[in-house]
Amino acid sequence: MISTFLGLETTLRALMAMQRSMETAAHNIANASTPGYSRQRVELAASSAYTIPSVLRPAAPGQLGTGVDITGIKRVREEFLDRQWREENSRLGYWEAIRDALGKVELILNEPSPNGLGAALTSFFNAWQELSKNSESLAVRTAVIEEGKTLCETIRHLYGELVALQSDLDYRLKVGVDEVNTLARQIAELNQQIARSRAVGDNPNDLLDQRDLLLDKLSKWTDFTVQEQPDGQVTVLVGNQQLVSVSGSSSIPNSWQVVNGQVVWASTNTVVGFQTGQLKGLIEVRDRDVKQVIEDLNNLASTFIAKFNQIHQQGYGLDGQTNRSFFTGTGAADITLSNDVFNTPVALAAANANVTNTNPFTVASNYYLDPTAPLNLSGTFQIKLSNSANWSSVTLAPTDSLNSIATKINSAGAGVTAAVKQNGNQYWLEITSNSQTAIQFADDPTTHVLQQLGVLLLPGDGSNALALAQLASSKTMPPSSPTGTFGDFYRGLVAEVGIASAQAVRMTDNSKLLVDQLDNRRQAVMGVSLDEEMANFMKFSHAYAAAARAMTILDEALDILINRTGLVGR
């Protein structure tokens, strides 16, 4: 027989269901702006009807409903969209790392700019071009030295900034690894809390949201796969190894560390096999793009030092000295002006072998009145033919005359013949090559004896400065198979960085668009709509009021039945 109080029980269940529904709606509204929160809803189902079919069931026809049951409170979330969003977020992190690093490389190179290396190269070669036109000017020579200093400082500055960028990427890599380790530890802790909650029959929606939020953050750094266990815990795999593992009721985080610039598993010291994410992007841009720019800059600097010094060493300065280097160093890290020319304008080798007439195989001295008179000259100069590698030394004493100087030169074995020539009462020393080869001299750096004798008409012809200036248009790079100039090589370097940076920006924008679209789809499912929640809240509150009114009516009916029935006629 149906209980007299069945109606009260039915309305009580309705009150409890609507109260829980209103509380859940209020919880949704309160967390509308909480990151990672998934809206929740109360799952309702009609309670078992009276009676359950059986052999002993009452004979009365039909079944009578007994109200509503709360079957659970579930969060509204779609796992497929979560997986898609995390995969694309990892790609976004990868391209963002590359984009940011290449953007910094572009800022370091600062091209095109009047302060960049391209402008410094142009100004340096232009200074040598001007020196070839006016090789005796100390002002022009000083300008060449200053332009050389600027060029060296620019190259060293670029190299230092690029190396510093590599160090910055190393630091960011370590920060990222620390962040991954922290996230793995927090996921493992939440795993255990979720397992304990599930074990007692609860549905820990808020804990699940917190864990999903941590997984979302982890996806920025690396790609991974998630495997959910029957007890609610998840295993997180990166490559083929577990970042968060599950053993029975325990969840264990496996940490990473940075060794020699690579991310490895702390337990096995093997390299982590991630495919995308910021960590992958940081390693690739450091070891591929930034490293290549440093190598190209170093290659440019070392070849520039070698080629420039090779020509400069063949020329002569205002002091008659030769075989001097203009640059010193091995590459971009230490390129600088050599001590031979640093703040010494006269040492710039602007000239080739100095001659006093149009015949390149004969050199003459100043005019003198007596070829036998002592010239009061002292010092040692060197002489050779331009096709010879060996210098011959000639040492003069204050008692030497034109005649004795000619004798010493002829005895030096330099491949030349010296003779005293006469025109009226004027005598001079004439030195003639024994072959069709130009004569080269190196004066005494202290006494400048050749300059006093007048053999060298300083400052020379400026032809070596012109040869150095023409390096700007010579095919010298790359040194293994030259196809372009120094400027062409550097412009190609800048262009490659620009193209790679533009691609990274484009790929970042594309990935960001996909991430935003997927996030919009996720939010359409899991996000809280205040309008919808307020409408639900009103619906539940009206249902609650109706259930309360129904209970009041039933209470009044029972009051009549219990307290008033049977009183008539008493």
Side-chain angles (χ1 to χ4, degrees), residues 335-399:
I335 181 174
T336 187
L337 297 191
S338 71
N339 292 330
D340 293 338
V341 301
F342 196 86
N343 293 333
T344 311
V346 296
L348 296 186
N352 282 317
N354 293 278
V355 298
T356 60
N357 55 34
T358 57
N359 185 348
F361 312 117
T362 301
V363 178
S365 72
N366 293 333
Y367 293 110
Y368 296 89
L369 298 177
D370 184 356
T372 63
L375 299 181
N376 196 29
L377 299 175
S378 62
T380 300
F381 66 89
Q382 295 179 312
I383 184 172
K384 77 177 184 71
L385 298 181
S386 61
N387 63 353
S388 174
N390 300 318
W391 292 90
S392 298
S393 298
V394 179
T395 301
L396 301 186
T399 57

Side-chain angles (χ1 to χ4, degrees), residues 157-210:
H157 173 75
L158 292 181
Y159 182 85
E161 289 294 318
L162 290 169
V163 171
L165 176 58
Q166 279 189 317
S167 298
D168 179 62
L169 293 174
D170 286 337
Y171 176 75
R172 290 181 59 193
L173 186 66
K174 292 179 180 178
V175 170
V177 168
D178 290 342
E179 178 68 15
V180 169
N181 290 336
T182 300
L183 291 172
R185 185 172 61 254
Q186 292 174 341
I187 291 171
E189 292 172 354
L190 283 172
N191 265 348
Q192 296 184 11
Q193 295 179 38
I194 290 170
R196 287 194 294 268
S197 181
R198 285 277 182 90
V200 297
D202 290 337
N203 196 14
N205 293 324
D206 293 331
L207 293 178
L208 292 171
D209 283 344
Q210 292 177 34

Side-chain angles (χ1 to χ4, degrees), residues 1 40 70 86 116 121 157 224 241 273 276 282 340 350 412 421 462 466 474 480 501 516 543 561:
M1 179 178 178
Q40 300 176 13
I70 300 175
R86 288 166 187 162
L121 279 169
H157 173 75
F224 58 87
Q241 293 185 263
T276 58
L282 289 171
D340 293 338
K421 300 296 183 178
L466 181 61
S474 301
S480 57
S501 179
D516 290 343
L561 177 63

